[in-house]
Amino acid sequence: MAEKRSDRGQVDVVHVLEGRRGTFRSVPKSRVPSLAGMDDNPGTAVEEAVRRSLALVDTWLRWDDRPKVSEDGDRVYTPHKAVRRIADHLIDHLAEVEAVLAGVGTQPDAWHGSLVTLESDWARFTEVDRDEAHQRLPRLARTFSLRLAAAGPDEWDRPRGDGWTLREIADHLTGVLWYAEQVGDLS
């Protein structure tokens, strides 16, 4: 581990791993293969939305510390906030699917969501942050997709009273790309 001083006088910790020349690396060398026979699974579209989001995340190392105003003009986004919102959205709807399939009510939504920008959202976006997003977000999307696969096609379009079908939840979740688009391509 090494330290370096930022231009603000703060100490940044840089982790140096043996056998590597710093922490920078390109996008993962291979894509996680989709499961055979799951092409109709609506969860695979969520995985694709996350892959497209990560392509934008890869450009955020050039972020200039200025927030981006959302296209609706109601909120501001930073790279950390966009990654946080993608993860939170995936977690929220994964929990919803689990509750629906278990036949119990969903947990009430008390997220602050995009209405707040946390102090941690303003942090510099580093290679390690990018790498963590490449680990966290595909795992969440794949878990969602696998959960739908385990539920099976008979459950995907089954009416759920006033709630969405599993397919509608998945279709809604493809909208996580919107968070990444608010920061945009910074290359």
Side-chain angles (χ1 to χ4, degrees):
M1 188 166 26
E3 291 183 356
K4 73 175 189 176
R5 291 233 176 246
S6 71
D7 55 351
R8 295 181 199 149
Q10 299 166 326
V11 175
D12 295 321
V13 177
V14 179
H15 296 272
V16 179
L17 303 176
E18 287 186 33
R20 290 179 64 182
R21 296 180 190 183
T23 59
F24 181 80
R25 68 180 164 146
S26 59
V27 292
K29 293 177 185 168
S30 62
R31 235 179 77 201
V32 176
S34 55
L35 300 177
M38 285 183 43
D39 293 338
D40 294 333
N41 178 347
T44 59
V46 176
E47 290 182 273
E48 179 58 27
V50 166
R51 276 192 288 279
R52 291 178 59 202
S53 297
L54 289 170
L56 292 172
V57 168
D58 288 338
T59 71
W60 295 350
L61 298 177
R62 296 182 176 172
W63 182 54
D64 61 8
D65 295 338
R66 291 183 296 182
K68 305 294 183 179
V69 177
S70 63
E71 65 187 21
D72 59 16
D74 290 342
R75 296 159 272 195
V76 296
Y77 282 89
T78 67
H80 284 288
K81 182 176 180 178
V83 169
R84 175 176 59 83
R85 290 303 305 136
I86 292 168
D88 289 352
H89 212 88
L90 291 166
I91 290 166
D92 186 40
H93 289 293
L94 181 57
E96 177 185 11
V97 166
E98 289 298 332
V100 164
L101 292 173
V104 300
T106 59
Q107 184 172 348
D109 184 350
W111 296 93
H112 291 291
S114 293
L115 297 177
V116 299
T117 302
L118 303 175
E119 183 68 28
S120 59
D121 292 334
W122 294 100
R124 186 172 54 101
F125 196 77
T126 68
E127 291 93 348
V128 174
D129 296 315
R130 183 209 47 218
D131 293 350
E132 291 297 302
H134 270 278
Q135 294 302 307
R136 181 178 300 111
L137 300 179
R139 278 182 172 77
L140 285 169
R142 189 162 193 257
T143 299
F144 181 86
S145 185
L146 291 171
R147 186 61 186 106
L148 293 189
D154 292 342
E155 292 293 323
W156 297 342
D157 297 303
R158 190 162 76 78
R160 308 284 174 182
D162 290 338
W164 289 342
T165 66
L166 299 183
R167 186 180 304 276
E168 290 170 328
I169 294 169
D171 183 56
H172 169 74
L173 262 182
T174 63
V176 297
L177 176 60
W178 184 86
Y179 296 114
E181 289 173 337
Q182 300 318 293
V183 175
D185 184 337
L186 302 181
S187 54

